[in-house]
Amino acid sequence: MTLRPWAWAGLAICGSGVVALTGFAFVDLGKADQIASVAGGCVGLVGLVLAAIAQFGPSATPTAPPPPPPAPAPAAGNRDVEASGEGAIAAGGNIGTASTGGHTPPSAPSPLPSPSPAPPSGGVTASGKGSIAAGGDIGSASTGT
């Protein structure tokens, strides 16, 4: 076990204090009591100062910089997404709820189904009035036509 020099010095001072107080206890118990009270108060005050320095003082070891943020996930293949026509909707991934117009509100949103393992790598095209196309899953769709 290796201790730093300051730790050895602290152990030596504490050891000599114990020996001195034991010697005073055999000679004059009242005097030993007074010395122990003053020494205990001083040690407590030194301990408080050292704790404050350790808590709020400069760090002995430099802190490492935070790790860089993770890179964004690459897109699932090169996919062309095209929507043409009045009210057409096209998405390269999943669609939760889609409504292409008219006065028909979409049905109550349903939870998205579990993602499919790998959407097709081809393009996604929605052409024509009110058409809806997705490269993934569609939770709820209303064309309103």
Side-chain angles (χ1 to χ4, degrees):
M1 173 169 76
T2 58
L3 291 176
R4 295 182 180 166
W6 285 106
W8 283 112
L11 285 174
I13 291 172
C14 287
S16 63
V18 168
V19 169
L21 285 176
T22 304
F24 276 118
F26 284 114
V27 176
D28 185 10
L29 191 58
K31 189 73 167 174
D33 181 40
Q34 292 173 350
I35 292 173
S37 296
V38 172
C42 291
V43 168
L45 186 60
V46 167
L48 177 67
V49 169
L50 289 176
I53 290 171
Q55 177 69 28
F56 302 112
S59 176
T61 59
T63 57
N78 274 341
R79 200 177 316 177
D80 292 329
V81 178
E82 183 180 339
S84 62
E86 184 181 333
I89 298 174
N94 298 335
I95 296 177
T97 301
S99 176
T100 58
H103 291 73
T104 307
S107 61
S110 61
L112 279 177
S114 61
S116 54
S121 61
V124 176
T125 304
S127 60
K129 182 178 179 185
S131 60
I132 300 173
D137 296 324
I138 298 177
S140 173
S142 172
T143 59
T145 55

